């Protein structure tokens, strides 16, 4: 809820919007001061990501003779930014609007939202975690906030943050050794034992999330923010597998008071493996009845040429996507995402009623 | 059994042999993997609130609840009295079950009451309600210069809220029930 009338007459909502503007300015200051370059890539993309459960918004662009071309409003600038890494850029960031269709209007989502992504090539996942922690501490200084009030929690961002592996977290909260449940048949039994429904077509990650979302996620990061790293390899997405244990993937998520803020990868830069995974995801999209479009071959070519580029070819690359609206929610004390966004989808559709 | 698509505020779900009324729900998408619906539900028996997360498409035991448009009449001790507009039957509902939103009730407004086996289990208020301002201190010169852009006003059901300083006694205003804040002049 934030229309021009609200900003005019409601000082609380005005305060939230002012905080938003300050946060966006401060994020830019932080990254420029760390020698990152701010990049600029198209929002309308011919070949968006293949994430099986995301819905990019389709649009058509016509040339002057009326020929139509299918484009999609991107769900993330990830492919385009990785192409820039292949072009030789080493430390880049971008703040942009992203679109995901069929998401909730309000609560923790808006179909159009603001994301910051940054990449290091060469770079390690741990450096990305350090960047994230430093960014929040910088924002805290700029806004005069040491503790974030979210729900009933006071989350201290000024001290050292928590970092735990997914395996450690399962041990701590539900006393289960995740190593024993990395196969679908085994986790299926665990899900049943813990009183959740198992459906015929549940994939590994569905079963994993039944336990994780119900029994673990709401307890994460209640006193200080926490990074959860090393996800089961089945949930690797665009990340590489861990060097020391191929059953897990180099991925972390950041949680504040049970709220997920960011998702980071030790980037998968093996072109062949990436191409295979994207084609598998494309097939799954088709099976699920989602819109189908070709895999971005230009992205695969970029990886083939080398990321990181040049003499750093053999080194790793890492990157992250962080939801800016959720950062504003935490720092401003807004009640939900709608209050952090000027003219959210909900505001605009309710105006029509 | 029903599907997670039918989960709405006010529906009643049987979970581990207890009945719960949904007070809040939210779709969540963990990125990879299917979407989930996280619900906050209040036990009809004990009043305690639990959070349960269902996978979208999972079957959920939603029990039949009849929704009726009713008029709010008055408060009777800890209970609130509503009248069915069709047959003028009256029902009473405990304030604990209505929760925080009870404070927005105002004589004569229409609400949607959920009835399970003829017992009221939920009340849905309109998104915005019109109230008459019964008390509003006059704006003082220099208010906005000193940063006082709102003031406390009292509405005709006794509710006190913050409103812009230009609001005067006797005016009608709209309150946004989701946030509990001033929305606009009616």
């Amino acid at each position: 809820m934030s229309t021009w009338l609200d900003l005019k007459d409601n000082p609380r909502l005005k305060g939230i919007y002012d905080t938003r503007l300050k946060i966006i300015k401060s994020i830019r200051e932080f990254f420029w001061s760390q020698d990152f370059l701010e990049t600029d890539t198209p929002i309308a993309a011919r070949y968006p990501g293949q994430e099986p459960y995301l819905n990019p918004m389709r649009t058509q662009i016509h040339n002057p003779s009326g020929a139509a071309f299918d484009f999609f409003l991107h769900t993330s600038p990830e492919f385009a930014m990785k192409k820039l890494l292949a072009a030789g850029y080493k430390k880049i960031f971008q703040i942009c609007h992203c679109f995901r269709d069929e998401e909730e209007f309000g609560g923790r989502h808006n179909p159009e939202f603001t994301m910051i992504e940054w990449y290091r090539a060469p770079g390690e996942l741990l450096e990305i975690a350090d960047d994230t922690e430093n960014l929040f501490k910088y924002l805290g200084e700029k806004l005069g906030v040491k503790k974030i009030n979210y729900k009933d929690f006071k989350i201290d961002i000024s001290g050292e943050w928590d970092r735990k592996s997914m395996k450690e977290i399962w041990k701590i909260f539900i006393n289960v050794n995740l190593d024993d449940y990395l196969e679908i048949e085994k986790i299926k039994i665990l899900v049943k034992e813990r009183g959740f429904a198992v459906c015929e077509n549940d994939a590994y990650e569905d079963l994993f999330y039944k336990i994780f979302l119900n029994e673990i996620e709401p307890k994460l990061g209640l006193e200080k923010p926490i990074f959860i790293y090393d996800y089961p390899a089945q949930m690797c997405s665009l990340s590489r597998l861990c060097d020391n244990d191929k059953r897990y993937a180099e991925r972390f998520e950041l949680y504040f008071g049970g709220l997920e803020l960011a998702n980071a990868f030790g980037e998968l830069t093996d072109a062949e493996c990436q191409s295979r995974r994207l084609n598998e995801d494309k097939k799954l999209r088709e099976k699920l009845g989602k819109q189908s479009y070709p895999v971005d071959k230009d992205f695969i070519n970029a990886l083939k040429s080398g990321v990181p580029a040049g003499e750093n070819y053999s080194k790793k690359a890492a990157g992250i996507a962080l939801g800016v609206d959720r950062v504003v929610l935490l720092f401003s004390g807004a009640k939900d995402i709608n209050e952090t966004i000027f003219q959210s989808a909900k505001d605009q559709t309710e105006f029509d009623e | 059994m029903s599907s997670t698509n039918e989960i709405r505020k006010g529906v009643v779900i049987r979970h581990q042999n207890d009945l719960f009324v949904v007070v809040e729900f939210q779709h969540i998408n963990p990125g990879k993997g299917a979407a989930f619906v996280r619900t906050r539900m209040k036990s009809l028996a004990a009043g305690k609130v639990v959070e349960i997360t269902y996978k979208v498409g999972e079957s959920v035991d939603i029990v039949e609840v009849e929704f009726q448009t009713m008029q709010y009449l008055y408060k009777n001790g800890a209970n609130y009295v509503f009248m069915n507009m069709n047959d003028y039957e009256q029902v009473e509902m405990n304030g604990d079950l209505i929760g925080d939103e009870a404070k927005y009730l105002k004589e004569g407004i229409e609400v949607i009451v959920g009835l399970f086996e003829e017992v009221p289990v939920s009340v849905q208020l309109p998104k915005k309600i019109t109230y008459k301002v019964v008390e509003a201190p006059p704006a003082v010169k220099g208010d906005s210069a000193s940063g006082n852009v709102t003031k406390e006003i009292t509405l005709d059901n006794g509710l006190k809220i913050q409103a812009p300083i230009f609001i005067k006694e006797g005016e009608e205003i709209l309150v946004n029930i989701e946030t509990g804040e001033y929305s606009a002049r009616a």
Side-chain angles (χ1 to χ4, degrees):
Chain A
M1 187 68 197
S2 192
T3 62
W4 66 269
L5 199 55
D6 293 321
L7 297 185
K8 186 166 170 260
D9 288 340
N10 186 325
R12 189 180 66 82
L13 292 173
K14 170 83 164 34
I16 293 169
Y17 194 63
D18 288 345
T19 300
R20 178 186 186 91
L21 301 182
K22 197 162 183 185
I23 283 175
I24 290 175
K25 174 171 179 256
S26 303
I27 292 174
R28 291 204 157 99
E29 280 170 4
F30 173 80
F31 281 102
W32 281 107
S33 78
Q34 303 289 308
D35 297 323
F36 279 77
L37 286 178
E38 182 169 7
T39 58
D40 185 23
T41 64
I43 281 174
R46 278 288 267 167
Y47 306 113
Q50 297 284 351
E51 285 85 354
Y53 295 93
L54 296 186
N55 302 302
M57 291 180 200
R58 181 183 230 136
T59 185
Q60 280 199 330
I61 299 182
H62 302 87
N63 73 8
S65 33
F69 298 87
D70 275 342
F71 275 80
F72 295 85
L73 305 185
H74 69 178
T75 57
S76 139
E78 184 162 7
F79 286 1
M81 289 182 78
K82 285 181 184 171
K83 289 176 190 176
L84 290 174
L85 298 179
Y89 288 94
K90 293 185 173 73
K91 288 167 74 178
I92 53 175
F93 81 101
Q94 185 161 313
I95 299 177
C96 59
H97 280 213
C98 295
F99 299 81
R100 293 178 185 178
D101 208 1
E102 293 168 43
E103 295 268 6
E104 199 96 0
F105 286 21
R108 295 174 177 194
H109 292 108
N110 190 53
E112 174 176 0
F113 62 102
T114 304
M115 189 117 94
I116 167 159
E117 295 205 1
W118 71 92
Y119 292 86
R120 285 174 173 268
E124 300 273 344
L125 196 56
L126 268 177
E127 292 177 90
I128 298 289
D130 291 342
D131 289 336
T132 313
E133 195 170 328
N134 292 336
L135 169 65
F136 272 86
K137 285 176 177 167
Y138 181 81
L139 294 177
E141 269 169 38
K142 287 283 163 183
L143 297 161
V145 173
K146 282 192 174 152
K147 286 190 176 172
I148 280 175
N149 292 305
Y150 176 64
K151 290 186 173 171
D152 297 330
F153 314 120
K154 288 201 179 348
I155 306 159
D156 187 354
I157 58 167
S158 61
E160 198 183 324
W161 292 13
D162 237 351
R163 295 181 187 203
K164 295 223 160 48
S165 70
M166 187 60 94
K167 188 177 155 180
E168 286 175 282
I169 283 296
W170 280 55
K171 189 76 198 161
I172 292 168
F173 287 111
I174 57 172
N175 198 24
V176 165
N177 183 354
L178 188 55
D179 282 352
D180 297 337
Y181 298 97
L182 294 172
E183 287 141 41
I184 188 159
E185 290 311 321
K186 290 187 177 150
I187 201 166
K188 210 177 249 182
I189 295 165
L190 184 68
V191 167
K192 275 187 197 153
E193 268 174 18
R194 304 191 77 86
F196 302 105
V198 172
C199 314
E200 193 71 358
N201 58 352
D202 278 346
Y204 179 85
E205 53 265 34
D206 297 333
L207 298 162
F208 177 93
Y209 278 119
K210 282 183 193 184
I211 294 174
F212 182 75
L213 294 176
N214 273 302
E215 300 195 55
I216 299 173
E217 190 186 70
K219 298 173 189 158
L220 295 177
L222 307 189
E223 283 161 14
K224 52 185 172 182
I226 184 168
F227 293 106
I228 310 288
Y229 60 87
D230 289 358
Y231 276 59
Q234 286 90 339
M235 294 144 77
C236 56
S237 197
L238 304 182
S239 62
R240 56 186 293 144
L241 300 180
C242 296
D243 292 331
N244 55 356
D245 188 347
K246 302 278 184 222
R247 296 174 301 171
Y248 291 93
E250 279 195 19
R251 169 178 178 186
F252 76 67
E253 292 199 349
L254 170 63
Y255 283 93
F256 280 72
L259 179 70
E260 188 234 317
L261 260 286
N263 183 17
F265 296 142
E267 302 296 347
L268 175 67
T269 49
D270 176 334
E272 204 178 305
C273 179
Q274 181 70 85
S275 170
R276 197 171 55 238
R277 281 196 208 165
L278 289 174
N279 279 300
E280 281 166 12
D281 282 349
K282 180 173 182 283
K283 278 197 195 111
L284 181 55
R285 289 189 67 85
E286 283 158 9
K287 199 175 131 195
L288 292 166
K290 303 261 179 190
Q291 287 188 101
S292 177
Y293 35 78
V295 168
D296 186 349
K297 288 206 187 77
D298 186 44
F299 172 56
I300 302 297
N301 288 341
L303 293 182
K304 263 187 208 148
S305 115
V307 172
E311 74 273 23
N312 293 312
Y313 178 66
S314 56
K315 293 184 182 155
K316 291 182 183 177
I320 186 169
L322 168 65
V324 173
D325 311 293
R326 290 185 178 186
V327 176
V328 178
L329 177 81
L330 290 177
F331 277 105
S332 68
K335 290 182 185 130
D336 62 19
I337 284 289
N338 274 325
E339 293 192 343
T340 71
I341 296 171
F342 179 58
Q343 297 198 167
S344 65
K346 190 170 178 230
D347 289 331
Q348 295 192 51
T349 50
E350 277 181 0
F351 184 78
D352 298 336
E353 282 171 14
Chain B
M1 295 298 256
S2 317
S3 119
T4 49
N5 288 336
E6 290 164 53
I7 295 177
R8 296 272 180 280
K9 217 173 144 180
V11 305
V12 174
I13 294 178
R14 196 187 308 273
H15 175 75
Q16 293 171 346
N17 294 323
D18 273 328
L19 292 172
F20 294 86
V21 59
V22 174
V23 290
E24 216 181 293
F25 76 102
Q26 170 85 49
H27 280 266
I28 45 176
N29 196 333
K32 197 163 166 61
F36 287 79
V37 184
R38 175 163 285 157
T39 58
R40 271 171 69 79
M41 314 195 286
K42 197 183 256 182
S43 157
L44 290 185
K48 72 168 184 206
V49 176
V50 296
E51 272 196 10
I52 309 283
T53 303
Y54 298 99
K55 186 189 156 195
V56 166
E58 199 173 285
S59 54
V60 182
D61 194 356
I62 295 180
V63 302
E64 189 86 12
V65 172
E66 190 192 352
F67 291 99
Q68 283 285 353
T69 303
M70 295 200 186
Q71 195 177 47
Y72 169 62
L73 296 181
Y74 58 90
K75 196 174 171 194
N76 180 18
N79 287 346
Y80 292 77
V81 184
F82 300 90
M83 182 176 69
N84 189 325
M85 316 276 282
N86 297 324
D87 55 14
Y88 308 106
E89 283 281 318
Q90 293 184 11
V91 295
E92 289 199 13
M93 192 170 166
N94 189 282
D96 285 344
L97 205 52
I98 303 175
D100 196 42
E101 290 193 343
K103 67 178 185 224
Y104 301 115
L105 287 169
K106 163 186 157 164
E107 270 172 45
I109 64 160
E110 282 183 16
V111 296
I112 296 168
V113 176
L115 299 152
F116 173 64
E117 291 174 348
E118 290 172 25
V119 179
V121 294
S122 67
V123 175
Q124 290 169 57
L125 276 67
K127 281 179 189 154
K128 287 178 182 171
I129 299 178
T130 306
Y131 299 91
K132 194 167 177 184
V133 179
V134 294
E135 230 181 283
V140 181
K141 202 177 172 214
D143 259 350
S144 42
S146 54
N148 298 328
V149 287
T150 64
K151 60 184 180 185
E152 190 178 81
I153 60 165
T154 309
L155 307 176
D156 52 350
N157 70 339
L159 185 65
K160 288 179 166 44
I161 64 158
Q162 290 291 317
I165 45 174
F166 56 75
I167 295 297
K168 295 187 194 70
E169 211 173 288
E171 276 192 276
E172 294 209 316
I173 62 159
L174 279 169
V175 173
N176 180 332
I177 301 308
E178 274 175 41
T179 59
E181 289 174 341
Y182 168 87
S183 173
R185 279 180 165 139

